[in-house]
């Protein structure tokens, strides 16, 4: 029986059907799983944007998740690096979200799902998120945010539903790897995606490959630097592989991963 005192369930039950913007990350996957349990998988639709600034690894994980859950999954092919964001302006997230979610919303409506939601949560309020204004303007709903649910509770929901993503690190679009004002193109985005993939496959979790000096410098951030002493040789080997992707220099940031590290930074090149 439904627990009507549950704020998240109340938000989900506001309509009989729900489309969810699925990135493949923890938040959207958990929202989709909970919504499917409450509304039924047949009343849920997952929409995933495919673009050069979305990790191929995340897109693949979104596909696998929907397949295992029996939820309809539609991929929307979005513009790669459109003119307004080529120089990675400070409001890039707003411009991108407005363009991308307009397409997702239109597709959802065509398929009979007038309600589109995303995985924005209460912890996102503490970060610089200009894209949230675009979501509000477009009428995109954020059930986690409305129910005041943060990342820790979302991980708890993932464990409760036995989801493999329960320990998955936070992720963000690949444009966040570049400084404000930096020229960005598909080649650089592909380099970053491949470099981070190499680090993840080697066993490093919560990685970011930040790009500086016009694409010449790759600065690696790791979520947990406590094991660096035991992994120096591994990182040295990976450094050579990352250089072969096209970076001239590869360095390790001893401060480790910092959320929103590139917000408002200026191009050093």
């Amino acid at each position: 029986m439904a627990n009507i005192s549950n704020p998240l369930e109340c938000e989900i039950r506001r309509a009989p059907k729900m489309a969810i913007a699925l990135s493949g990350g923890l938040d959207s996957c958990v929202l989709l799983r909970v919504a499917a349990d409450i509304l039924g998988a047949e009343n849920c639709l997952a929409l995933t944007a495919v673009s050069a600034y979305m990790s191929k690894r995340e897109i693949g994980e979104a596909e696998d998740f929907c397949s295992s859950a029996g939820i309809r999954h539609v991929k929307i092919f979005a513009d790669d690096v459109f003119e307004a964001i080529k120089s990675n302006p400070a409001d890039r997230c707003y411009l991108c979200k407005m363009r991308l979610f307009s397409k997702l919303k239109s597709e959802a409506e065509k398929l009979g799902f007038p309600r589109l939601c995303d995985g924005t949560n209460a912890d996102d309020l503490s970060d610089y998120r200009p894209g949230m204004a675009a979501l509000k303007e477009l009428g995109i709903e954020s059930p986690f945010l409305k129910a005041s649910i943060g990342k820790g509770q979302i991980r708890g929901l993932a464990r409760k539903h036995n989801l493999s993503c329960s320990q998955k690190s936070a992720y963000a679009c690949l444009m966040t790897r570049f400084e404000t004002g930096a020229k960005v193109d598909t080649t650089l985005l592909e380099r970053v995606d491949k470099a981070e993939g190499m680090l993840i496959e080697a066993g490093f979790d919560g990685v970011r490959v930040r790009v500086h000096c016009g694409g010449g410098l790759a600065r690696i951030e790791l979520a947990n630097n406590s094991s660096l002493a035991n992994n120096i040789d591994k990182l040295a080997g990976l450094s050579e592989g990352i250089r072969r992707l096209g970076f001239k220099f590869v360095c390790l940031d001893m401060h480790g991963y910092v959320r929103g590290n590139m917000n408002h930074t200026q191009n050093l090149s």
Side-chain angles (χ1 to χ4, degrees):
M1 181 177 291
N3 177 8
I4 60 173
S5 66
N6 182 323
L8 179 59
E9 182 164 348
C10 289
E11 289 299 328
I12 289 173
R13 286 193 181 278
R14 287 185 182 278
K17 299 170 72 175
M18 177 188 288
I20 295 172
L22 181 70
S23 67
L26 170 70
D27 302 334
S28 57
C29 281
V30 172
L31 179 60
L32 181 60
R33 176 70 271 173
V34 174
D37 284 352
I38 292 172
L39 302 176
E42 70 280 5
N43 292 314
C44 293
L45 171 70
L47 297 167
T48 298
V50 178
S51 175
Y53 47 81
M54 305 304 292
S55 166
K56 291 182 176 62
R57 183 178 58 261
E58 292 273 294
I59 293 169
E61 290 175 359
E63 290 177 323
D64 293 342
F65 185 85
C66 290
S67 177
S68 64
I71 298 169
R72 185 180 181 186
H73 184 219
V74 176
K75 291 186 288 185
I76 306 298
F77 291 86
D79 301 322
D80 284 336
V81 185
F82 55 94
E83 192 62 37
I85 65 170
K86 282 183 177 179
S87 62
N88 202 25
D91 62 347
R92 181 258 312 149
C93 187
Y94 171 84
L95 296 170
C96 187
K97 280 276 198 295
M98 181 62 74
R99 193 179 184 101
L100 178 59
F101 273 81
S102 292
K103 290 188 175 185
L104 295 179
K105 185 176 182 180
S106 176
E107 185 66 19
E109 290 173 348
K110 272 194 236 176
L111 295 173
F113 288 79
R115 185 188 189 200
L116 178 60
C117 301
D118 85 320
T120 300
N121 66 79
D123 288 344
D124 291 328
L125 295 176
S126 64
D127 192 19
Y128 175 67
R129 296 286 180 110
M132 291 176 67
L135 298 181
K136 184 176 181 181
E137 289 174 30
L138 290 169
I140 310 303
E141 296 182 40
S142 302
F144 285 143
L145 185 58
K146 287 188 176 182
S148 300
I149 290 176
K151 186 72 75 175
Q153 292 165 288
I154 293 172
R155 290 197 188 281
L157 286 169
R159 290 190 292 271
K160 178 181 176 181
H161 288 80
N162 297 313
L163 301 182
S164 60
C165 62
S166 63
Q167 296 303 314
K168 191 172 185 179
S169 298
Y171 199 75
C173 93
L174 296 172
M175 293 291 289
T176 63
R177 309 319 192 251
F178 297 85
E179 300 159 300
T180 300
K183 299 294 183 184
V184 182
D185 58 33
T186 55
T187 299
L188 286 173
L189 290 165
E190 287 171 3
R191 282 187 201 169
V192 171
D193 195 18
K194 289 177 181 178
E196 291 187 350
M198 291 169 62
L199 290 160
I200 291 169
E201 287 174 15
F204 293 99
D205 192 28
V207 302
R208 294 288 188 275
V209 174
R210 310 288 193 186
V211 180
H212 301 274
C213 303
L217 171 65
R219 175 171 58 85
I220 299 171
E221 295 180 358
L222 301 177
N224 185 352
N225 281 347
S226 62
S227 61
L228 284 182
N230 299 322
N231 288 289
I232 292 298
D233 290 342
K234 184 190 290 187
L235 283 166
L238 287 167
S239 174
E240 184 56 36
I242 293 172
R243 282 169 61 99
R244 284 197 292 270
L245 294 175
F247 293 106
K248 188 173 182 181
F249 302 103
V250 179
C251 69
L252 178 67
D253 190 325
M254 299 306 291
H255 286 287
Y257 166 61
V258 179
R259 187 183 190 190
N261 202 352
M262 300 296 267
N263 291 341
H264 305 303
T265 58
Q266 295 300 311
N267 194 347
L268 299 178
S269 59

